[in-house]
Amino acid sequence: MNKYNPPRMNPSSLRSRFATRFLRTLSKINAQKPTSSSSPTEIFRRYRRIKAAADKSMAYSVRSRRTWSRAMLWKLRTRPCGRRSVKTSTIIKSREARKTRHEKQNKNTTTTTTTTTGEDGVVFGVEADELRELVPGGEAMDLYNLLDETAHYIKCLTTQVQVMKKIADFYSP
Amino acid sequence: MELNAGTAGTGSHKTASERDEVAALESLQFTDEIRRLMSAPATDNASSFTALLELPAPQAVQLIHSPDSAKLIAAPAPAPNVDEFKGSFNFPFNSGLIERATRFSLFAGDGSINDNNKSNSPEPTSYNSSANLQKPVKSEPAETESYQPLVSDPTVENRSTKRKDREKVKGSTKKSKTGAKDSSDDAEKLPYVHVRARRGQATDSHSLAERARREKINARMKLLQELVPGCSKISGTALVLDEIINHVQSLQRQVEFLSMRLAAVNPRIDFNLDSVFTAESGSLMDSNFSGMVMPMMLPEVQLNGNRQQYPQQLHFDAFQQPVWGTEEVCNNYITPENSLLSYDSSGNSASLHSNQLKMEL
């Protein structure tokens, strides 16, 4: 009978990076919880925190290489968080400065490309707007970069879903 | 088109005087082209030069790709053949045409030489043929400019301006002269897109840039089509985008469901990071990527009618009836996952592995 050797994972792959980070955050969240927390409000609150942790760990795994990860991190940092308002204000300022600079660059490219009335600009009008809403940070991007970001975003989302499902499977009875 | 008019009119000329020459020069495939060149202008005056112009390019292609092209180089000179023609035919524009024919034969020889050089290069064959197309075509308009005072044909001037625009845009061509569109895979191979103006299209820099941009976008759309399952069958960019939007929304909703599930499940079991992580690293390698995602989409489709309103409904339900919500979610997730694990051959080992770990716990 053959011994089952699990194949080695690439330690720097997106999946492993996300998995480690998310598990760490998850254990932190669970350490915080009170013993009896089956009330709906508590579960809901924890759900929000877990979802934010998942998004944040995903964005951190991508490391600001992508526009959507930067936008997501910025969004998560500026969410109304009662306890950490002082810290976030300084972070917000630096983030804002960086983001407005980035958006200005993007807007420059946007203005030059959207003035040209190619048939693609007309055809993709409605769907492109919807896509911009879905992909974080997609508002200030031209169509080509938007498609690029969407592709990477889809890939990262599928990784996230896979890892989270594995974790949930592991802990379901 | 002048080409067809030219060739249609040649029928009467071909039979009588050309037969002798054809018999003598049968080894060269060159003869057909030269014949057509000589006799085409007999029909039309104004269109003669353009007929002459339009002929060489496709003929040049045939010449280049013909196996006898080596003979063209090896032959002592095509010029004596042209001289033979010269004596037999009577044309209104005799000298000009003969000169043009000699130049055509000469640079057709050059084109074949370039072809031999290019065939050694590691370029793909599509580039090879289109680049060879470029050579004779480019040298043809070079001659039109020299004949500019003779001919005031708008099409000729159009071609010369086209050549200038082409020279503005970078070197190797992407599209064939016949107007067939290349696959947008070529756009992805190059670091930047080479655009060439097709016949009858606007050649100002704005439209060229637009066309380049459009091709880039189409290349990206193809990538996305491959990424999103079930999108490759759909034709039409709007529908593909709809599919992509659907996919992204379903993925985001799956993340929400899973985080909800984790929030509900966690209070029961003690959280041990090490055991989880070993299980993760083992099972993550086994499972198939796309296989996991696809069946997940089915319960989503069943549950959700409307795109926009559902996440809000989820929050509302979660707030009021969390037990029911998580149970429903759990039920919906367990059955497709079990079926999923049974479908996926590599996933079977994953389920085995996780079961072993659960038994250890």
Side-chain angles (χ1 to χ4, degrees), chain A residues 4 9 15 30 40 46-47 51 120 124 130 134 144 148 151 153 158 161-162 165-166 169 171, chain B residues 214 220 237 252 254 256 259 263 265 269 271 276 280 284-287 289 292 296 307 319 337:
Chain A
Y4 175 68
M9 263 191 93
R15 203 183 286 179
N30 283 330
R46 206 136 39 81
Y47 149 71
K51 179 163 181 291
D120 284 0
F124 293 162
E130 284 193 33
L134 283 177
Y144 179 69
D148 214 7
Y153 187 56
T158 40
V161 162
Q162 217 180 355
K165 204 194 296 185
K166 284 286 165 52
D169 286 346
Y171 282 104
Chain B
R214 235 176 285 151
R220 281 277 165 263
T237 43
Q252 284 175 340
Q254 279 178 34
E256 286 183 16
S259 57
V265 162
I269 303 175
F271 211 87
V276 172
E280 287 312 306
L284 279 172
M285 285 303 292
D286 298 335
S287 69
F289 205 81
M292 294 295 284
M296 281 303 295
R307 269 189 222 163
F319 194 80
E337 281 168 3

Side-chain angles (χ1 to χ4, degrees), chain B residues 35-77:
Chain B
R35 209 187 307 135
R36 252 174 269 157
L37 277 173
M38 295 296 123
S39 42
T43 57
D44 247 352
N45 281 348
S47 59
S48 62
F49 291 109
T50 56
L52 199 57
L53 289 173
E54 287 161 11
L55 264 174
Q59 307 306 323
V61 178
Q62 290 176 23
L63 283 174
I64 287 159
H65 288 287
S66 69
D68 293 333
S69 62
K71 284 190 189 174
L72 281 172
I73 311 161

Side-chain angles (χ1 to χ4, degrees), chain B residues 215-235:
Chain B
E215 281 162 14
K216 279 202 300 183
I217 287 178
N218 286 333
R220 281 277 165 263
M221 291 287 298
K222 283 205 175 173
L223 257 185
L224 276 172
Q225 263 188 313
E226 289 167 22
L227 207 54
V228 175
C231 224
S232 46
K233 305 167 199 165
I234 302 174
S235 61

